């Protein structure tokens, strides 16, 4: 149980106070939309992988207003969404095939939960998914294009979903026994720096062989390095979609405050080690990282090995990937983990 004072701090954090209007306007499509172009994945970076192409075809039909802003803001995050989506789909289908039950996925802080809705749609009864958001515009987008009755929405922040809420809320009934996959998408950085307390809310809901996937914006010990990567993001990527004025306004109104609640990679991994035996850094785009964690090394390895190589130009990636971390000093297996190969569309049938 998280201390009530910590909950009070989160209730008064920027996400629910000073940032609330920004997120509401964006989710309703009334502001902060790209004015120079709309994001689409570069399928060449994904090796024209058929699984990614199929996932994208479903994903794009379910977009809410916030998706246009989000995927135009983080370099190659849309390609990463396809890469993650296909890997989560494969992982969940393995769960369904092995256990003869639906796989459960919870995305927190993922706007209108487009990834979760795409999984439920493609899963066709083999997945049940949940997303949450305190922003009413995201709730409207969710139900406007729900995609499947197996996709569920909670209108509120992640920390509202405690044991009592799961027991009382019939909308949460499919998820009372836990999740196979949790996805935290740039959420914690909106509420505070104490990752251990934040993880304590969601980690107990994960099944023993489940996965926590985090997409985080990470600080850097060298502020000049951090700022260079920010300039690269703004000048080389965001400028394709947003005018200079829009980029400057978001930096002033949102991003400068958010840096207060970011932590570096070392601190993030230390917090994860308090809940999970193993973690793997699987993607890096400037100051953004994907980190996958589990208490089951076989589950983690299976998942990482089902991912394509990072779909991002080398100039944006500053890490050798994947990087595997364990709570123990020495990993119990060799670290020769490899990405899966693309399944390109056949030229002839």
């Amino acid at each position: 149980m998280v201390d009530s004072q910590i909950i009070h701090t989160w209730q008064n954090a920027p996400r629910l106070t000073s940032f609330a209007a920004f997120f509401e306007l964006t989710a309703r499509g009334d502001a902060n939309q790209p004015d120079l172009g709309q994001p689409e994945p570069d399928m060449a970076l994904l090796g024209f992988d058929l699984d990614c192409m199929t996932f994208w075809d479903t994903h794009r039909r379910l977009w809410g207003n916030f998706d246009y802003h989000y995927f135009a803001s983080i370099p190659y995050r849309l390609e990463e969404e396809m890469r993650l989506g296909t890997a989560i789909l494969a992982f969940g289908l393995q769960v369904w095939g092995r256990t003869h039950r639906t796989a459960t996925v919870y995305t927190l802080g993922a706007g209108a939960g487009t990834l979760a809705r795409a999984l439920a749609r493609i899963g066709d009864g083999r997945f049940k998914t949940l997303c949450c958001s305190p922003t009413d515009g995201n709730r409207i987008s969710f139900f406007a294009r729900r995609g499947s009755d197996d996709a569920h929405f909670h209108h509120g922040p992640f920390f509202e979903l405690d044991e009592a809420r799961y027991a009382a809320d019939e909308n949460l009934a499919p998820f009372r026994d836990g999740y196979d996959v949790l996805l935290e998408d740039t959420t914690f950085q909106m509420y505070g720096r104490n990752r251990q307390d934040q993880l304590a809310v969601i980690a107990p809901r994960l099944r023993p062989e489940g996965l926590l996937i985090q997409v985080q914006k990470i600080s850097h010990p060298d502020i000049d390095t951090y700022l260079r990567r920010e300039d690269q993001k703004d000048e080389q990527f965001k400028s394709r979609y947003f005018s200079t004025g829009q980029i400057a306004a978001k930096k002033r109104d949102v991003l400068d405050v958010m840096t207060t609640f970011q932590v570096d990679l070392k601190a993030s991994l230390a917090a994860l080690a308090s809940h999970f035996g193993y973690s793997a850094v699987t993607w890096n785009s400037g100051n953004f990282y994907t980190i996958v964690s589990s208490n089951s090394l076989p589950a983690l390895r299976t998942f990482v090995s089902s991912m394509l190589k990072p779909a991002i130009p080398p100039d944006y990636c500053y890490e050798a990937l994947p990087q595997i971390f364990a709570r123990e000093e020495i990993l119990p297996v060799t670290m020769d983990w490899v990405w899966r190969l693309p399944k390109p569309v056949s030229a002839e049938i």
Side-chain angles (χ1 to χ4, degrees):
M1 172 98 40
V2 178
D3 183 85
S4 59
Q5 183 57 47
I6 294 172
I7 297 294
H8 178 74
T9 300
W10 292 342
Q11 289 169 335
N12 291 279
R15 179 61 180 86
L16 302 180
T17 55
S18 59
F19 291 171
F22 172 88
F23 281 98
E24 191 65 61
L25 288 169
T26 306
R28 290 179 180 271
D30 294 334
N32 309 309
Q33 297 297 299
D35 54 357
L36 301 180
Q38 295 184 355
E40 290 188 4
D42 184 342
M43 285 299 169
L45 291 172
L46 292 159
F48 297 100
D49 180 67
L50 183 58
D51 290 348
C52 287
M53 293 174 69
T54 303
F55 197 88
W56 163 242
D57 188 56
T58 298
H59 193 277
R60 67 180 177 84
R61 303 180 198 200
L62 302 177
W63 274 30
N65 294 311
F66 194 80
D67 291 298
Y68 293 93
H69 171 87
Y70 180 71
F71 291 118
S73 297
I74 303 174
Y76 303 94
R77 178 65 183 86
L78 183 52
E79 288 79 3
E80 175 67 355
E81 184 91 341
M82 301 306 105
R83 180 173 174 252
L84 279 175
T86 54
I88 295 171
L89 180 64
F91 186 83
L93 290 175
Q94 287 286 334
V95 169
W96 167 79
R98 186 177 65 253
T99 65
H100 306 292
R101 62 166 174 78
T102 56
T104 49
V105 178
Y106 171 27
T107 62
L108 51 149
T114 306
L115 177 64
R117 288 182 285 120
L119 289 167
R121 177 77 174 246
I122 298 171
D124 193 24
R126 294 175 290 267
F127 280 74
K128 288 191 180 296
T129 67
L130 173 71
C131 67
C132 72
S133 174
T135 301
D136 193 53
N138 284 328
R139 179 191 63 80
I140 293 169
S141 288
F142 177 95
F143 286 107
R145 296 180 177 177
R146 186 177 180 183
S148 169
D149 289 342
D150 292 318
H152 299 258
F153 183 86
H154 173 73
H155 185 206
F158 76 97
F159 55 83
E160 285 186 352
L161 299 186
D162 56 15
E163 196 65 39
R165 180 64 66 97
Y166 276 101
D169 190 339
E170 284 304 310
N171 182 52
L172 301 176
F175 311 106
R176 287 170 183 163
D177 293 332
Y179 297 97
D180 297 293
V181 178
L182 295 171
L183 172 62
E184 183 259 316
D185 191 346
T186 57
T187 302
F188 289 166
Q189 65 193 43
M190 304 283 181
Y191 292 93
R193 289 176 52 85
N194 192 325
R195 297 291 181 264
Q196 289 200 30
D197 285 340
Q198 294 167 331
L199 287 167
V201 175
I202 62 172
R205 307 301 309 180
L206 199 61
R207 290 191 168 103
E209 295 183 346
L211 303 170
L212 169 67
I213 303 169
Q214 292 182 288
V215 178
Q216 300 187 52
K217 191 172 188 182
I218 298 288
S219 65
H220 196 283
D222 179 12
I223 186 61
D224 290 335
T225 297
Y226 180 89
L227 292 175
R228 279 197 302 271
R229 297 179 184 184
E230 285 297 281
D231 288 343
Q232 180 189 43
K233 168 176 64 72
D234 292 344
E235 296 169 9
Q236 297 181 29
F237 184 81
K238 288 183 69 172
S239 60
R240 304 175 193 176
Y241 306 105
F242 296 102
S243 63
T244 302
Q246 278 190 303
I247 294 172
K250 183 178 181 182
K251 186 176 187 302
R252 180 188 66 242
D253 297 339
V254 177
L255 299 182
D256 286 347
V257 177
M258 279 172 50
T259 58
T260 305
F261 293 149
Q262 292 167 14
V263 301
D264 62 22
L265 185 60
K266 182 178 179 181
S268 183
L269 290 168
L272 286 164
S274 67
H275 294 276
F276 299 98
Y278 309 97
S279 292
V281 178
T282 59
W283 182 73
N284 166 236
S285 172
N287 292 316
F288 292 87
Y289 288 73
T290 297
I291 307 174
V292 187
S293 302
S294 182
N295 282 310
S296 167
L297 185 62
L300 182 63
R301 181 165 187 160
T302 295
F303 182 80
V304 172
S305 299
S306 75
M307 301 180 79
L308 293 171
K309 70 178 183 179
I312 187 168
D315 289 351
Y316 286 84
C317 183
Y318 296 89
E319 305 286 351
L321 303 173
Q323 293 182 28
I324 316 301
F325 299 88
R327 189 182 295 147
E328 296 86 350
E329 185 175 346
I330 301 176
L331 276 172
V333 296
T334 58
M335 300 198 13
D336 56 343
W337 296 20
V338 295
W339 311 114
R340 78 166 173 90
L341 296 175
K343 305 171 188 174
V345 178
S346 176
E348 296 181 0
I349 296 178

